[in-house]
């Protein structure tokens, strides 16, 4: 086994990492697929960094390790934490996270190190991390209450701050929960253990998924875990051509979402049944019994896309930030990609669910934005008929 690993890993690279650790007295701890430095390091002076202090690092060669990466990112400012994603073979998984003491330093790291030529033919991609902190738990044991679930989650994982429970499904018998963690690291660690722990404790198999917020920057987090990626799609290292432009279906009285809202717009026509554009709504979203539309007009078009509009609408009515759970379902013979979705709005008594379909894009990143726009349009149609 050791000989097989040496064929995968460069012995010289491993020796360089070990020598650097001894020389600099650096301790690295590997837990559940992440190798972690700091959090905080021994010489850290200052408070625990808050939101906006972490950067996401992508396009890391698989045989490059902390001995090259940490000094590079420490050249900007002291690091509170550095996490390199690892696989079972000892190679890294191509991406990492670096956390600084404040958002300004993190922004400086993005400015200085994005497209940094780490070695010949390799440029790092460095962006602000979205620091996702919400997990969606499905298929929970029936009859489990919020306080019981909160106690169990705090037993199984660290950093649990709050839990919102929902009853979903056509018969409203399926129980799911939205769990808010204190940090992305705490949420990611919980995501790795909750399925197994619930199986051992309760004998049930639950589902655990990231809940994607409305921020467009979620596309860089955990690229290999994006749930809407169809099979066989590979992410390009860098887009060499701009994405193709397609007309998106809009209500007939608006050319696009940048147009001002007419004083008294007519009712939007029903969605087309045969002609499809790039973002196409599938079956009408399912809404639980008893839901009353929030408003009787389309929302004020203060943003340039439907995702921003939905967020503004929810903020206007004090409903909280909408959270998206989008999953690839299948590809139809005509080439359209089909996705099932749920939109959980914290203070809305029902979960919006349905299906949308889009034409394939040249990267998962582009398609994720496209699917979110299509889903948001469907949600707006339900909330503002």
């Amino acid at each position: 086994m050791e000989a097989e690993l040496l064929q995968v890993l460069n012995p010289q690279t491993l020796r360089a990492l070990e020598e650097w650790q001894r020389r600099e007295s650096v301790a690295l701890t590997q837990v559940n697929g992440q190798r972690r430095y700091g959090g905080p390091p021994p010489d850290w002076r200052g408070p625990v960094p808050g939101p906006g202090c972490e950067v996401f690092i992508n396009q890391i060669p698989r045989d490059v390790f902390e001995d090259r990466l940490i000094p590079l990112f420490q050249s900007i400012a002291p690091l509170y934490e550095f996490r390199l994603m690892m696989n079972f073979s000892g190679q890294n998984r191509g991406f990492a996270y670096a956390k600084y003491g404040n958002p300004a330093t993190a922004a400086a790291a993005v400015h200085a190190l994005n497209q940094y030529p780490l070695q010949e033919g390799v440029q790092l991609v460095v962006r602000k991390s979205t620091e996702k902190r919400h997990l969606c738990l499905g298929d929970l044991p029936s009859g489990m209450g919020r306080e019981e679930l909160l106690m169990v989650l705090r037993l199984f994982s660290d950093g649990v701050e709050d839990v919102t429970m929902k009853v979903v499904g056509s018969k409203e018998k399926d129980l799911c929960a939205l769990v808010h963690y204190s940090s992305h690291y705490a949420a990611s660690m919980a995501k790795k253990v909750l399925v197994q722990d619930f199986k051992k404790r309760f004998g049930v198999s639950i589902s655990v998924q990231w809940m994607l917020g409305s921020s467009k920057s979620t596309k860089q987090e955990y690229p290999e875990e994006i749930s809407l990626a169809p099979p066989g799609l590979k992410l390009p290292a860098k887009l060499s051509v701009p994405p193709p432009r397609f007309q998106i279906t809009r209500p007939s009285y608006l050319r696009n979402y940048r147009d001002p809202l007419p004083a008294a717009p007519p009712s939007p026509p029903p969605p087309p049944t045969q002609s499809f554009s790039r973002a196409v709504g599938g079956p009408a979203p399912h809404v639980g019994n008893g839901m009353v539309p929030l408003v009787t007009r389309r929302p004020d078009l203060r943003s340039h896309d439907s995702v921003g509009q939905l967020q503004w609408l929810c903020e206007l009515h004090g409903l909280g930030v909408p959270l998206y759970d989008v999953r690839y379902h299948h590809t139809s013979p005509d080439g359209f990609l089909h996705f099932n979705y749920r939109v959980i709005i914290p203070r809305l008594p029902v979960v919006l669910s349905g299906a949308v379909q889009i034409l394939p894009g040249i990267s998962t990143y582009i398609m994720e934005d496209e699917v979110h726009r299509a889903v948001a349009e469907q949600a707006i149609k339900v909330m503002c008929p």
Side-chain angles (χ1 to χ4, degrees):
M1 182 66 178
E2 184 176 353
E4 293 176 358
L5 287 178
L6 288 177
Q7 292 178 0
V8 175
L9 302 174
N10 185 336
Q12 184 176 354
T13 301
L14 294 179
R15 284 196 300 269
L17 174 62
E18 293 172 357
E19 292 172 0
W20 173 76
Q21 285 187 258
R22 285 195 300 267
R23 184 174 64 253
E24 302 295 333
S25 299
V26 172
L28 301 176
T29 304
Q30 185 160 340
V31 180
N32 292 329
Q34 300 187 26
R35 197 156 67 195
R36 185 185 188 194
Y37 159 79
D43 57 349
W44 181 260
R45 299 292 182 269
V48 176
C53 298
E54 188 173 73
V55 300
F56 169 78
I57 309 151
N58 200 3
Q59 305 300 326
I60 302 173
R62 296 305 174 96
D63 60 349
V64 169
F65 298 113
E66 290 89 343
D67 58 313
R68 295 185 60 189
L69 296 170
I70 289 179
L72 175 63
F73 283 84
Q74 281 181 331
S75 68
I76 304 299
L79 287 171
Y80 175 83
E81 181 182 72
F82 188 92
R83 295 183 288 124
L84 182 63
M85 305 299 115
M86 305 293 295
N87 62 28
F88 71 93
S89 70
Q91 291 180 313
N92 77 64
R93 293 161 63 191
F95 64 106
Y97 298 88
K99 181 172 287 188
Y100 292 95
N102 55 70
T105 305
V110 172
H111 179 75
L113 297 178
N114 187 37
Q115 302 300 316
Y116 179 85
L118 187 65
Q119 61 190 42
E120 185 177 356
V122 175
Q123 291 182 323
L124 293 179
V125 174
V126 182
R127 298 174 180 148
K128 183 180 178 181
S129 171
T130 57
E131 301 180 71
K132 292 183 292 186
R133 302 181 182 191
H134 292 86
L135 293 179
C136 180
L137 278 54
D139 304 315
L140 292 168
S142 59
M144 175 172 278
R146 178 184 178 277
E147 295 304 320
E148 181 185 2
L149 178 60
L150 192 59
M151 179 181 67
V152 169
L153 289 172
R154 286 174 173 166
L155 178 66
F156 291 160
S157 58
D158 296 326
V160 178
E161 292 194 339
D162 194 19
V163 173
T164 302
M165 302 194 71
K166 296 278 187 179
V167 178
V168 298
S170 57
K171 298 182 179 179
E172 296 190 351
K173 292 184 177 180
D174 299 326
L175 191 62
C176 71
L178 178 64
V179 187
H180 178 69
Y181 283 86
S182 59
S183 68
H184 174 71
Y185 176 77
S188 64
M189 290 296 99
K191 186 175 184 293
K192 297 176 184 295
V193 302
L194 287 180
V195 172
Q196 183 177 1
D197 287 347
F198 267 82
K199 183 70 173 178
K200 290 181 179 179
R201 179 70 177 267
F202 300 102
V204 297
S205 297
I206 68 169
S207 63
V208 181
Q209 299 287 336
W210 287 112
M211 287 303 299
L212 301 181
S214 59
S215 169
K216 295 181 181 180
S217 60
T218 55
K219 59 193 174 189
Q220 76 264 24
E221 289 275 10
Y222 282 89
E224 79 291 355
E225 294 185 8
I226 294 177
S227 61
L228 57 77
L233 181 69
K234 296 183 178 180
L235 304 181
K238 188 175 182 181
L239 301 181
S240 56
V241 295
R245 296 181 179 272
F246 295 83
Q247 179 65 35
I248 298 178
T249 300
R250 305 298 186 200
S252 60
Y253 58 88
L254 295 179
R255 293 183 180 179
N256 56 58
Y257 282 123
R258 293 179 174 82
D259 291 342
L261 183 68
S267 299
T273 56
Q274 294 183 344
S275 61
F276 292 92
S277 62
R278 179 161 174 75
V280 188
H286 169 74
V287 181
N289 294 333
M291 178 178 177
V292 179
L294 293 175
V295 294
T296 58
R297 63 177 179 86
R298 303 287 292 184
D300 186 7
L301 304 182
R302 297 185 178 182
S303 66
H304 291 171
D305 63 25
S306 54
V307 172
Q309 288 184 48
L310 180 59
Q311 181 173 355
W312 173 83
L313 180 65
C314 292
E315 291 175 353
L316 178 67
H317 292 274
L319 298 177
V321 177
L323 300 165
Y324 298 76
D325 182 11
V326 181
R327 306 188 190 190
Y328 170 77
H329 189 267
H330 71 281
T331 301
S332 57
D334 58 6
F336 281 91
L337 305 179
H338 294 247
F339 301 86
N340 292 334
Y341 72 83
R342 296 187 304 163
V343 180
I344 296 179
I345 300 174
R347 296 182 183 88
L348 196 68
V350 296
V351 175
L352 307 181
S353 62
V356 295
Q357 55 191 18
I358 66 169
L359 287 172
I362 60 176
S363 80
T364 302
Y365 301 160
I366 293 172
M367 289 192 297
E368 183 178 14
D369 284 345
E370 197 69 45
V371 171
H372 281 184
R373 286 195 292 270
V375 169
E377 287 187 43
Q378 293 280 7
I380 291 173
K381 288 178 182 177
V382 172
M383 298 169 71
C384 311

